[in-house]
Amino acid sequence: FVQTQLIVVAQPNHKANNLSDLMKIAKESPRTVKVSGANPASTDAQVAGLLQKATGTQLTYIPHDGGGAAQATFLGGNTDMITLTIDEALPLIQAKKGKALAILNETRRPEPELKDIPTAKEQGIDVVWGQVFGIAGAPALDPAVVAWWDERIAQLVQNPEWKKTLAANFLGGEYMNSQQSKAYLAKMHEGRLAVLRQLGQAKM
């Protein structure tokens, strides 16, 4: 019931001014571009892998226990690039602690804070990727409990304060109940698994 898009961010003083520039550097000097991210099968790693596949480059991916640790490494100036959600990226960009290279969306965002960030596709790099958030339960959860959560979340997403919070953080709020989510997650699982197979991170 929450969706977000991703921004590729570089060090503020990096000579690359967009994602295309950074991938050219990576192509000319393989493995010299260092990327902060979470564990090797995370969204961050998937983005790095997709960028490598799309551009024929080799990046050096540095995995961490989580996004916070990856950001700390980036903010310490120890890596060149990181992929962040919009609400994570904007404070760094506005504080000049990071430089936006691309948004991994089909089209640019229209908001004043985001409208000047080009998509990867605009730069000739066919990578579109995002994240979704929801609530999961045990496989054999009592249907009455599932129905209770369906009802409560359906009420939550209609709350004006909730909608205000989503807008303030540039988040999508498309709601799917438990049955819709099941079908959506099965499709998403296959898509992500296909990417992990392409990157050599899944054999199943």
Side-chain angles (χ1 to χ4, degrees), residues 7-46:
I7 296 177
V8 179
V9 178
Q11 291 294 339
N13 58 353
H14 202 285
K15 60 184 177 180
N17 289 313
N18 53 51
L19 188 57
S20 180
D21 285 349
L22 188 65
M23 293 301 103
K24 280 176 191 163
I25 292 166
K27 198 153 199 173
E28 288 163 7
S29 305
R31 300 204 178 279
T32 57
V33 173
K34 292 176 284 186
V35 182
S36 275
N39 67 70
S42 65
T43 297
D44 307 331
Q46 290 168 27

Side-chain angles (χ1 to χ4, degrees), residues 77-90:
N78 299 300
T79 52
D80 302 289
M81 180 191 121
I82 190 167
T83 301
L84 300 169
T85 58
I86 294 174
D87 57 311
E88 292 170 330
L90 266 184

Side-chain angles (χ1 to χ4, degrees), residues 143-162:
V145 174
V146 176
W148 186 91
W149 277 107
D150 270 347
E151 185 183 342
R152 294 304 179 280
I153 297 170
Q155 291 170 353
L156 168 69
V157 298
Q158 294 305 317
N159 185 296
E161 289 301 314
W162 173 256

Side-chain angles (χ1 to χ4, degrees), residues 87 89-99 112-114 170:
D87 57 311
L90 266 184
L92 300 191
I93 295 162
Q94 291 166 342
K96 303 199 183 306
K97 293 181 179 178
K99 180 197 301 187
E113 303 94 327
L114 301 169
F170 305 96

Side-chain angles (χ1 to χ4, degrees), residues 2-7 84-88 104-105 109 129-133 169-173 192:
V2 179
Q3 302 84 35
T4 188
Q5 291 151 3
L6 302 168
I7 296 177
L84 300 169
T85 58
I86 294 174
D87 57 311
E88 292 170 330
L104 303 181
N105 195 18
R109 294 280 303 225
W129 215 238
Q131 281 185 306
V132 296
F133 301 93
N169 290 286
F170 305 96
L171 297 167
R192 301 271 162 148

